[in-house]
Amino acid sequence: MPVLEGKELRIVGFLCNWCSYGGADAAGVGRAVQPTDLRIIRVPCSGRVDPIFIVKALLNGADGVLVSGCHPRDCHYSAGNFYARRRLEVLKQFLPVLGIDEARFEYTWVGASEAQLWQHVVTTFTNRVHALGKAPRFDAVEPLLKIADMALTALRPLGTGKNAALPKLKEAIKAKLPELECVIGWQQGYDEARTVPLFARTPQDVDKFVWGPFNVNNPAVYLPTFRGKKVGIVVKGCDARSVVELLQENLISREDVILFAMPCEGTLDMARIGEKLGRYTTVDAVVCDEASITITADGKEHRFCMADFAQGKCYGCATPLAALSDVSFGAPVDVKPVSATPPELALLDSLSLPERMSFWRGQMGKCLRCYACRNACPMCVCRDYCVSDSRDPHWMSQLADEREKLFFQTVHAFHLAGRCTGCGECQRACPVGIPILALRQQIGRVIEQLFESYKAGTDPAAAPPLLTYMPQEKNIHERGWK
Amino acid sequence: MKTTVAYYPGCSAHGFSVDYEKSTQAVCGALGIRLNDIPDWNCCGSTPAHAVDTELSAALCVRNLDNAVKADANELLTPCPSCLSNLRHAAKRMEDPRFRARVDELLDNPAPAVFPEVISVMQGIARRFDANALAERVKKPLKPLRLATYYGCLMSRPAEIMDFGDPENPTLMESMLTACGAEVVDFPLKTVCCGASFGIPERAVTARLSGRILALAADMRADALVVACPLCQMNLDLRQKQAEHAADAIFAMPVLYFTQAMGLALGVPPGRLGIEKLRVNANGLIDKIEAAASGSTAPVEGSRP
Amino acid sequence: MNAIRFLPSDGLPALLSCLVKTGRRILAPVEKPAVKSSVVFEPWSEGKPLTLQKATVPAKEAVLPQCETLLSYRQTKNADTAALNLDDTPNAQPTVVFGARPCDACGYAVLDRPFLQGPFVDPYYRARREQLVVFTTTCGSGCATCFCHWLGGGPSSPEGSDVLMTEIEGGLVLQSVTDKGAELLNSMPPAAKLADGAPVFRQAEEARKKAWASLLPAPDIKSARQAIAGIFSDANFWQEQTDRCLSCGACTYFCPTCYCFNITDEGDGYEGGQGGRRLRSWDNCMSSQFTREASGHNPRTDKALRMRNRVSHKYSFYPENWGAASCSGCGRCVCNCPVYLDIRAIVLAAIKHAGDK
Amino acid sequence: MRIGVFICHCGSNIGGTVDCAKVAEKAALFPDVVYATDPMYTCAEPGQATIESAIAEYRLDGIVVASCSPRMHEPTFRRTVERAGLNRYMLEMANIREHVSWIGKDVESNTNKAAELVAIAVAKLRGNTPLHSKSFEVNKRVLVIGGGVAGIQAALDCADGDIPVVLVEREATIGGKMAKLDKTFPTVDCSACIVGPKMVDVAQHPLIALYALSEVEEISGYVGNFTVKIRKRAPYVDWDKCTGCGACSVKCPSKKTPDAFNEFTGVTTAIKVAFPQAIPKKAVITAAHCRQMSRGKCGVCAKVCPTGAVNYDMEDVIVTEEVGSIVAATGYDLMDWTVYKEYGAGRYPDVITSLQYERLLSGSGPTCGHIRRPSDGREPRIIVFIQCVGSRDRSIGRPQCSGFCCMYTAKQAVLTKDHLPESQSYVFYMDIRAPGKMYDEFTRRAVEEYGVEYVRGRVSCVYPDGKGAYSVMGVDTLLGRPVEITADLIVLAVGIEGSRGAGELAEKLRISYDNCGFFMESHVKLKPVETNTIGVFLAGVCQGARDIPASVAQGSATAAKVLGLFARDRLENDPQIACVDMRRCVACGKCVRCCPFGAIEEVSVRDEQKAHVIETVCQGCGLCAATCPQGAVQLAHSTDNQILAEVNTLCRY
C-alpha cells in the first residue's frame, strides 16, 4: 500500500501481545499523542519475530522496522525475548553489510504499563526514520561490480602437501573399510587440476585417493545424507569444523563417523586459478613442487605459488589439522589465530552503505538461482524443504529479480548464524562468482563479537549461540531512548 | 631500573604542601621513578572555577592534558586528590561531544582525541611496585608504628570517575604501609569529611569534624595519621589545636603524608622528606623507627646476595 | 539466399548500433568482473563493452527467461460490481542474440521441438522465437569440457543459428545460414560498416577447418539411447554415478537445452492486494521438489533417480521422441558443477555397463 | 473466503478522528471482502446483532472488527462469531482506537492508518483456519513448594477441599520464616504459638504428604499432568524410626555447629531437631560438622539412639510425583547485606540483621530471649535500628520497598523496651509505611508509649569508636542536621529477595522472575496469584514483599484457584499453538532446544525422527516457528504466511 505522500514514511512494528502491545494500548488510553506512521503487527511474542521478516520488510519498501517485546525476564513465555534479543541484535549488526542503515531497525522492551515510554519510543523512532528519509529502493540503485583484494599473508607457510602420508592414509582407510559404508575423500576429476569427492567402497576405490591443494571440496556436506550409517571421512582442518558443527546440532552422531585427519597445507583458490588458465581451456599437465604448482593449459605454462593462490580461508587458518579425529596423520601446527577481516568482507567494509547496496544489486544480477551455494553448504540440512521455493511458507517470490535473490542469500546467511564455520563452499560453488561468503562472514563476525569469540564447529558440546541465551547478556546492551 | 612518568604537581606542591612535594620526589627517586613535570602546566581549575563553570574548569584541565599528550604521556601522575578529581572529571566530561565542542571553543587548539590516564602518585607507585616489591626495598621498617590511614573525601569518590577501589573503604594506602612494615589500624573514618572546605567560613564545623577524626585515631591508639591530600593534612595538622578545643582533648597526633611515611621506611633522610615542616612534631616516630632499626640487624647496603 | 559480409575489427559497435536501430533488443555477452569473473548475456546499449568469449551462461534467456509472467490479473471492485482483468500477452520483443556459440544456438533447435513442433505450441515461446535472430560466433578450438562433436555438432555447426561469424585476421566474416539471417544482413545500412565478405570467405573456411582439426576424436555414442534405456532399472549403476552430486540446479540452469519449468501463482498482496500473477520459472529435475506431488509423495526421492532422469531425458527419452539428443555438448554442466560431475563419463559408463551385461 | 468488515465508531471515540464510513468504503475493496459497514457501537448488543445478521446474510466465513484493542474485546467478538455459527477463531481485529483515534487528531492520517490496519487484518484473516481445542484429563493432586506460612495455608486449604497435597520443604522443618520470629506485629502475638498449630495440622492431615529436607529436581508436563521429581536429601537419620526424643543431640560432642535456624547467632550440635516445635520433629545430621561423617570417629548418636535410627550411609533419594497443579510458596531470603560496607555489615559483630535480632529476642533462641551483644554478651543500652538496608536503594540495584520492615522494626523496638526497660532505641527511617489494619496505630505507640526515637534520615557510616561501642553517623533530614549516636547494638532491617535458588526453580516451572528473584505473576492487578504457565500459582513472598496476613490470604487464594481448576474433570487447551509439518521436518532439533516449555519432543514416525508438539504443553509463543529454518513448524494464526501477508500488504514497491 502506498504511504501518505509527503506526510508519512512506512514504519512497521512487530509488538508482542503481552507487554508492548499492551503498552501501546496504555499509551492510547492515556491519549499520548504519537506520530501516525507506525503500523503495528501483533505477534504473540518477540521470540516469534524471525529476523528475516524484518529483512523482508526492509527490502520491500519499509523505511523503518521496530520490534518491541517484554522486558527481559518479564517474558510472558519466560524466555522468548531472551532469544529475540540475541537474534535481533545479530540482525541489527548484520544489516549494514546489505547497505541498509541499521538505524532503520530497532528493537526495544516496553511493558504493558509503560505508556509514556511507548510514546517516547514511537516518537523517537519515527523522528529518527524521518531524519534518515525514504529508504533507497534496492531495484533503483546502479549496479556496482568491485573485486576483493586477495593479496593476503598466511599465518603459516602454505604448501602443496607433496610429502603427506598418503600411502599411510590409504592403508588406514583400507583397514577400517570393512566396518564402514564408505569413506569419503577426494579423487581426480575430469583433468589433473580438478579433484572431486570420492566415495570409496572397495580397496580399489581407496587407491584412487589423492591429496593436495586441489582438494577443495568439503566432504562434510555428504555426512547428513548417511545418517544412521557408519562412514569414514577424510578431513582437512576446516572440513572437520563442519563435522563438529554437525555433531553439535545432532545432525550426525559421533559413533557413526570415523574421521581421518590429514594435515592440510592449504588449498587452491580455483576461482583465481581459473582466471589465469582461461575459461574454456584444456589442461595438459600439472606439476607440483613443495610450494607451488605448475599447470600447463592449451600449451601455456602457469606457475602458481601456494602463498599467492590459496583460498581466502587458508590464509587465516590456524587449525590445518582436525582437532577432532579418530585417525590422525600429522601433528597439530602451533599457529596463533589472528583475527583478521576476510578479503570479501574487507571489500564491503570499505564501501559506503549506498555502494554496498549497489554492489549486491550488481552481484545478484548474475544469479540464476541454481542454489549450488545452498547445496554445497554442509550446514544446509533442510535443502529439500528449503523456503527458497516453497509456497507454504511462501517466503519468496519466484520472480527473477535481484531483490528476491539477495533476500534468499540473507535467509541463508541467517539460517547459518552461529552455525557457519566459514568453509566457503557456498561461494566456491557459485558458477557465476558471486562473493556471497561475505554475508556469512559478517554474521560470523557479529556472532564472534557478541558471544565471546564464539566460533562454530570448534566444540562438539557447545550450544549454538542463537539457540540459547543468557538472562544477562555480556555484550548486548540495551540502547536508551534518548 | 629508571622509569620516567609524566607528572602534574598542582599549585599546592609549590606552596603550602611543599613537604608533600619533597617527599613525593624523594620516594619516587628512591624507587627509581623519575617524575617529569608536564611542560607549561597551569591551574587544574579546582577552585573556584569548577564550582562556577564546569566548561572553563574543564578547559583548564584539558590544556594540561593536552600538554601531557604533547609530551607523549599515556599516563599522568598527580599527588593532589583535588587535581586528580578535576583532571579525571574533565576527561570524563569530554566524552560528551557537545561538551567537547564547547570546551574546544575556549582553547587555542582543539583537545586531543585521547587523553592520558590520570592517576594519583599512590596508584602510580602501586602499579609499579606490588607489596612484595615494596617490602624488598624497605630499609627501615615502620614496625614499631601503629598508623591510621586517612584518604579524605575526594580520592575515591565519585567511584565511577575516580576508580580507586571501594569508594567507601579504599585500602591501597594500607597495603603500601603494611608493606613498609607498619601496623595499620582499620580506620573507619578514612573517607569521612575532615571539614577542610569549611576552614574559613565555619571554623567551628571544621574543628568538630577534624576533632572527630583525630579523636578516633587517638582512641584507636594510632601513633600517627597518614594522609594523601594537602588540604586534609593542613586541616588535621595545622588546625589540630582548634580541634582539641572542640573535642576537649589533647591529641598531639602527627599527620604525615603517606610519602613521608614511606620515605622513612625506604631510608630517605627525614630532612629530604620535609618532616620538619609538620606542625605536630613527628620526631618521636622517627626515633622509634631508628631505635627499632638499630636494635635489629639491619642489612647493610650491598651485603644482600 | 545467402549473404556473406566482412566486418572489420573496429566495426562491432557500428553493426550493433544499426541492429539496435531496427528496433531489436540485442543480447550480447558481457564480462562481469569478479575474483571469479563470468560472462553473461545482457541487453546491449550504445557504449556498453561486450566480449565474443564463450559465455558462462548460455543465451537460453532469449526464448525461455529465468522467470516470466504468464498472466497477471487485477480485480476491480466497487459497491455493486466486481470485475477481473486478465492479461496474458506474452512478453516478447524482437531480439538478436549476438555472439552465441554453435552449442548455444543448437539449444534453440532442441527447445523448438517440444515448444513448437509437438501437439501443443507454447504461445509465449513462439512469440519470442519467431522474433529471434541468432548471430553465432564459430569456435576456434575445443576445450576440456566441450564435446559438441560427440553429438553431431561442431565448432562451426549452423544448427539453430541465422548468421555464423568467424574471426579472421582483421575482423569477422559474417555468413547468413538462414533467410532470416540473410534478410537482416542485407537490410543493414552502410553505417553498419559491413563490407562484402566473399573475398575473405576462404580465410573463414580455413579457420573453421582448423578448429575442426583441433578436436580430439569423439567416441561413438550412437548406442547411448538403447544402452541408457537398458539399464534404466539398474539402481546400483545410477547410485554409483551420482554419489557426489549435490542435487543443485547448476547443470540444468546452465544448460542451453534444458527447458523444464515450474508455475507458481502468486496472489496475495500484489497490485495493492487486488491482483496476482502466474509465474513460469526455470525448474530443474535435480531438485527433489521437482517431482514432489501435492500429497507429499515423491517418486524420485533419491538423487540417483533424478540423475537417471536427467541423463535419460537428454540421451534417451528426448531422442526417442525427437530423433536427436537434447544435449549440444557445450560442457557447461561439467565445468559449472561444484563437484564436476561429468555427464560424458556417465554416458560412456552406461554404454560400457550395458555392453557388459 | 467471504469476509465481512465492521468499522466501529465507538461513539466519538473513534468516529471523532477517523472517517469510519470512508474506512468501510475502502475496506469493501480489499480482497475477499464482501461486506463492510461502520456500526456506532460494535461491542454493544445492536452492534453484535449487526455482525450476527451479516454473517448469516452474506454467508461470511470470517470477520474483521476494527475497534478497540483486541486485548479488550477479542473474547467478546469471538463469542459473537461463535453464536453466528462460525468458528470462534475466524476473527481478526484492527485496533483503531488505542492505536489510532486516541493518539492523534489528524483525520486524514488516521483514516488512512485505520484503513491500512484493516487491510493487514484482512490479509491475516485470509490465512486463518477454524481451530478446535483439545481436551485432556486432570490429575487432581497439587504440589506445594515451600512450607512457610503461605505454603502451609495453601496445603491445608487444598487438603480440606479433598485435594491430595504434596508439600515439599527445603529445610528440615516447615514453618518458614514465621517460625523463626519471636512475636508478630501489630498484636505482638507469639509467632510460634500461632503458626505451630497449623504446622501440626499439616503433619496430621491425611491428604498431605510432606517431604521435608527435599527439593524439586525436575518438572515436566503441563497443567493437569505435571510430573515432578523430588530430591529427598539424606538426613542420615531414618525418619521412620526417629521419635524426635532428642537424646542424640544431648550427647553429640560436636557442639560448635553453626546454627542455621538461629541465623548463625549461636552454635548447636551436629545432630539435632531444628527446633522444639519442628514439623516433622525428626533429627538431622549436619554432615560437615559430624565427627563420625567428617573424621570417621565418634558414632555417639548411633549408640544413644533408642530406636537405632541413625544411619551415616544414607543417600539422597529421588521420588516422582504426579500432580495436576503447582503452588510455589518459596518465600524469601535476606539480600547480601555485607555490600553495605559503610555499616560494617558482616565485619562488626554487633551489627546484625533484624532476623538475627528476632532470634535474640526469642525464648527458643541462643540467648533464651535475653538481649545480649554478640561481641561480648553485654546487654546493650543504646540500640540503633537502620531501615531500608537493601531496600529503596537504586545504588545497589534494589529500588523496591521490602514492605514489612517498618512494622517489624517498630515491633522490635517495642520488644526491646519490654526486655530492657533502661534501653533507648533509635530508628533511622526513610518513610514509615504502615498501611495495614492497626499498623499505623502500632508505630505511633512505639514512638509515644515506648519512647523510640525515630530519626528520618539515612546512616552514612557505622564504626567502632575504640571504646567498645559504635558511632552511628547519620543525618536527620527533618531537622537538616547531622546526627551521631553512640550505640551498643545496631540492627539492620535488611531488604529481601526471592529465596536462594528461586531463579533455577522458576526455570523449572517455566515462569518468569525479576532481578531480585521474585516470581512474576500473570497480571499485577488482576491475576496476582496466577503465572503465565497455566496450572502454576504463587503464594506469599516468593512473588514480592508482603506480610503474614497477605501471605496467608494468598495461600488461600491459590487453594481457591487450584480447587477451581480441579472442579472440571477435563481441561481444554488454547488451539493457537504450534504444529509441525512432518514432511518438512528434518529433525534437526532446534525447536526442541529452544522451546521454553519443553513442549516439543522428538518422535519416531515411520523410522524417521520428527519433531512433535505436545498440544497441551504448547503455550503458543511461536519461538519454534521463528527458529525452524525450513518453516516446518508453524504457529496457528501466526503462520509465516500470515505474517508475510501482513508485511507484504504494508511493504511492497
Side-chain angles (χ1 to χ4, degrees), chain C:
Chain C
M1 207 160 124
N2 197 352
I4 297 174
R5 298 283 184 275
F6 175 72
L7 181 71
S9 301
D10 58 358
L12 214 46
L15 172 62
L16 290 170
S17 276
C18 291
L19 286 172
V20 168
K21 284 194 188 105
T22 63
R24 289 173 167 87
R25 169 179 70 144
I26 312 294
L27 288 177
V30 173
E31 177 145 20
K32 296 281 178 184
V35 170
K36 174 179 185 174
S37 67
S38 51
V39 173
V40 298
F41 281 86
E42 269 187 4
W44 184 87
S45 56
E46 200 73 56
K48 196 166 176 172
L50 81 160
T51 171
L52 289 180
Q53 294 177 64
K54 180 174 167 184
T56 317
V57 186
K60 186 164 71 180
E61 191 82 48
V63 287
L64 200 60
Q66 244 186 89
C67 181
E68 67 174 314
T69 304
L70 295 182
L71 65 87
S72 62
Y73 64 87
R74 192 179 163 77
Q75 201 176 18
T76 42
K77 271 209 309 193
N78 54 40
D80 316 310
T81 59
L84 201 65
N85 300 325
L86 264 184
D87 180 6
D88 61 354
T89 323
N91 180 7
Q93 64 184 110
T95 299
V96 170
V97 165
F98 192 91
R101 293 295 178 124
C103 47
D104 296 347
C106 173
Y108 298 128
V110 172
L111 300 181
D112 284 347
R113 295 183 193 111
F115 280 110
L116 301 178
Q117 293 158 23
F120 303 102
V121 173
D122 184 293
Y124 301 92
Y125 181 89
R126 185 177 62 192
R128 284 185 290 264
R129 185 68 178 102
E130 280 175 352
Q131 301 182 72
L132 180 72
V133 186
V134 182
F135 282 59
T136 301
T137 316
T138 60
C139 297
S141 72
C143 78
T145 50
C146 290
F147 61 108
C148 50
H149 58 303
W150 293 26
L151 293 138
S156 53
S157 163
E159 195 181 11
S161 303
D162 296 301
V163 175
L164 287 184
M165 309 190 288
T166 304
E167 215 171 341
I168 59 163
E169 210 181 315
L172 284 173
V173 172
L174 282 72
Q175 176 199 7
S176 69
V177 287
T178 61
D179 291 349
K180 204 155 65 169
E183 254 168 55
L184 187 58
L185 281 185
N186 287 334
S187 71
M188 284 295 103
K193 292 205 175 166
L194 287 175
D196 183 10
V200 287
F201 189 64
R202 178 162 290 277
Q203 283 181 52
E205 279 183 317
E206 291 296 323
R208 292 177 189 175
K209 262 188 206 145
K210 219 172 122 196
W212 274 98
S214 77
L215 304 178
L216 294 170
D220 179 4
I221 57 163
K222 278 198 217 60
S223 60
R225 186 165 72 85
Q226 273 88 14
I228 291 168
I231 56 167
F232 184 81
S233 51
D234 188 340
N236 278 344
F237 172 80
W238 296 106
Q239 178 59 48
E240 273 166 37
Q241 296 299 322
T242 36
D243 265 338
R244 66 178 193 257
C245 173
L246 295 171
S247 290
C248 72
C251 46
T252 57
Y253 286 4
F254 286 80
C255 175
T257 67
C258 272
Y259 52 82
C260 288
F261 57 78
N262 190 12
I263 291 179
T264 313
D265 287 348
E266 297 188 342
D268 300 348
Y270 296 88
E271 305 281 337
Q274 313 287 322
R277 59 196 174 192
R278 171 165 293 171
L279 302 177
R280 167 157 79 181
S281 52
W282 290 353
D283 201 351
N284 86 84
C285 56
M286 303 311 291
S287 156
S288 81
Q289 296 180 70
F290 185 75
T291 47
R292 192 186 300 149
E293 295 164 7
S295 65
H297 172 67
N298 193 342
R300 284 189 216 139
T301 43
D302 197 68
K303 63 184 178 184
L305 302 180
R306 304 197 286 268
M307 181 61 82
R308 178 181 72 185
N309 178 70
R310 175 165 163 262
V311 176
S312 299
H313 178 260
K314 292 202 172 300
Y315 287 89
S316 176
F317 310 154
Y318 186 100
E320 203 161 308
N321 289 329
W322 303 106
S326 83
C327 171
S328 66
C330 73
R332 287 190 178 92
C333 57
V334 183
C335 64
N336 287 317
C337 174
V339 294
Y340 303 126
L341 209 94
D342 194 338
I343 195 167
R344 294 171 299 186
I346 300 179
V347 172
L348 292 179
I351 293 171
K352 183 164 179 292
H353 192 68
D356 289 349
K357 264 193 168 173

Side-chain angles (χ1 to χ4, degrees), chain D residues 70-148:
Chain D
R71 285 164 57 96
M72 182 89 153
H73 272 314
E74 200 168 52
T76 314
F77 293 122
R78 281 201 175 139
R79 284 193 294 272
T80 313
V81 168
E82 203 161 37
R83 274 202 306 278
L86 293 183
N87 181 275
R88 51 191 307 188
Y89 294 99
M90 296 308 286
L91 161 80
E92 284 299 327
M93 290 185 72
N95 183 348
I96 61 167
R97 192 177 75 178
E98 284 85 345
H99 293 185
V100 181
S101 70
W102 276 353
I103 59 165
K105 301 235 177 295
D106 181 335
V107 176
E108 187 204 7
S109 301
N110 281 359
T111 305
N112 175 59
K113 182 174 179 181
E116 291 192 2
L117 293 183
V118 172
I120 61 175
V122 168
K124 184 170 180 216
L125 179 63
R126 295 175 80 197
N128 277 10
T129 49
L131 300 177
H132 302 281
S133 299
K134 286 270 182 326
S135 85
F136 52 91
E137 285 203 36
V138 180
N139 179 357
K140 294 184 180 177
R141 302 179 80 224
V142 62
L143 168 73
V144 177
I145 309 172

Side-chain angles (χ1 to χ4, degrees), chain D residues 341-356:
Chain D
K341 299 228 164 57
E342 60 269 39
Y343 299 158
R347 269 199 300 159
Y348 306 143
D350 300 322
V351 178
I352 61 173
T353 69
S354 47
L355 212 47
Q356 290 175 324

